[in-house]
Structures are given as C-alpha cells and as structure tokens.
C-alpha cells in the first residue's frame, strides 16, 4: 500500500532502525539521534507537511468534529489555521480537541452498530 503523502527529505537523514532503543549508544550517537529527532519534528511541523495533512483530510471528505468546523470552513482560512497549528506544535502548547463519537451500522449485521470517532480538522 502506498502512503497517502510523503514527508520532505530531511538533510542528514534520520536515525537508523538499529539505533532505536539501544541503551548502549555512545554520547555522539545519542546526540546524533537527538539531532535527527529534532530535524524530524521540525519537518513534521513544516507548512508543507501540515498542508499535505490537510489535503489528505480533505480528500477523505470527513464530517465536522466536535467543534462543528467543516473542511471547507477550515480551508477558507487555511494559511491562518496552519500557521497557528505550527506555532502551537513548535511551542508544545497544542492540545487536541475531544473526538466526536457516532454510531454507524456494522456491515452485514442488521441493527448492530459500532462506534466511530470523528476528530476535528486540526486534531
């Protein structure tokens, strides 16, 4: 299965899988891992990646979350919304909103339902 979108390349690459969870890392390897994690976080908070995330949500044609904001409404002020989201993520003040729960029918099970969580556009 192909990913819905790709992250931008991060200069210097990321930590290799064999370095994750290894308690015997040297100080240099540990610092490299921290630097790589920082670069990854910065890339994830980049406007390009936030925009690609919004485009994936928009393509899915989701319903409004608990705040009632539609994808169209969010998109009409996209630059401001993504700028605020970026600021909140980078300052570690971002708090996701509660998820709206709805019951949907189970396929092939007449009368049976299952819960479905619908997040807000910015969650």
């Amino acid at each position: 299965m192909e990913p819905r979108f790709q992250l931008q390349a991060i200069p210097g690459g990321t930590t290799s899988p064999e370095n994750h969870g290894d308690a015997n890392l040297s100080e240099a390897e540990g610092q490299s891992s921290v630097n790589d994690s920082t670069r990854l976080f910065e890339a994830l908070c980049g406007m390009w990646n936030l925009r690609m995330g919004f485009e994936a949500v928009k393509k899915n044609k989701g319903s409004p979350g608990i705040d009632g904001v539609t994808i169209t409404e969010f998109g009409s002020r996209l630059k401001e919304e993504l700028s605020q989201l970026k600021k909140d993520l980078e300052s570690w003040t971002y708090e996701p909103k509660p998820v709206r729960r709805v019951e949907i029918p189970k396929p092939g099970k007449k009368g049976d339902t299952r819960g479905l969580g619908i997040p807000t556009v910015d969650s």
Side-chain angles (χ1 to χ4, degrees):
M1 174 189 266
E2 289 187 24
R4 289 186 182 186
F5 55 92
Q6 296 178 335
L7 297 175
Q8 289 177 316
I10 301 169
T14 59
T15 58
S16 61
E18 62 269 14
N19 285 343
H20 290 283
D22 185 349
N24 298 317
L25 290 176
S26 70
E27 185 175 341
E29 290 170 323
Q31 185 59 44
S32 173
S33 179
V34 169
N35 290 340
D36 289 342
S37 296
T38 300
R39 284 196 298 266
L40 177 59
F41 181 76
E42 289 169 354
L44 290 171
C45 294
M47 290 299 285
W48 185 87
N49 285 313
L50 295 176
R51 174 67 186 244
M52 292 300 98
F54 170 75
E55 293 299 329
V57 169
K58 183 177 172 182
K59 185 177 179 180
N60 196 33
K61 300 177 184 174
S63 297
I66 202 164
D67 61 0
V69 176
T70 65
I71 293 168
T72 302
E73 290 169 329
F74 190 89
S76 70
R77 51 182 195 273
L78 188 61
K79 185 175 181 179
E80 296 84 14
E81 293 282 0
L82 294 184
S83 293
Q84 184 63 50
L85 179 57
K86 177 180 173 60
K87 178 182 168 192
D88 291 347
L89 288 169
E90 290 176 339
S91 65
W92 295 91
T93 58
Y94 173 75
E95 291 188 34
K97 294 177 182 75
V99 173
R100 180 167 65 103
R101 183 178 172 90
V102 296
E103 296 292 321
I104 62 170
K106 283 187 175 179
K109 304 243 180 166
K110 190 172 183 173
D112 254 354
T113 62
R114 69 175 181 89
L116 176 69
I118 302 176
T120 59
V121 178
D122 70 347
S123 287

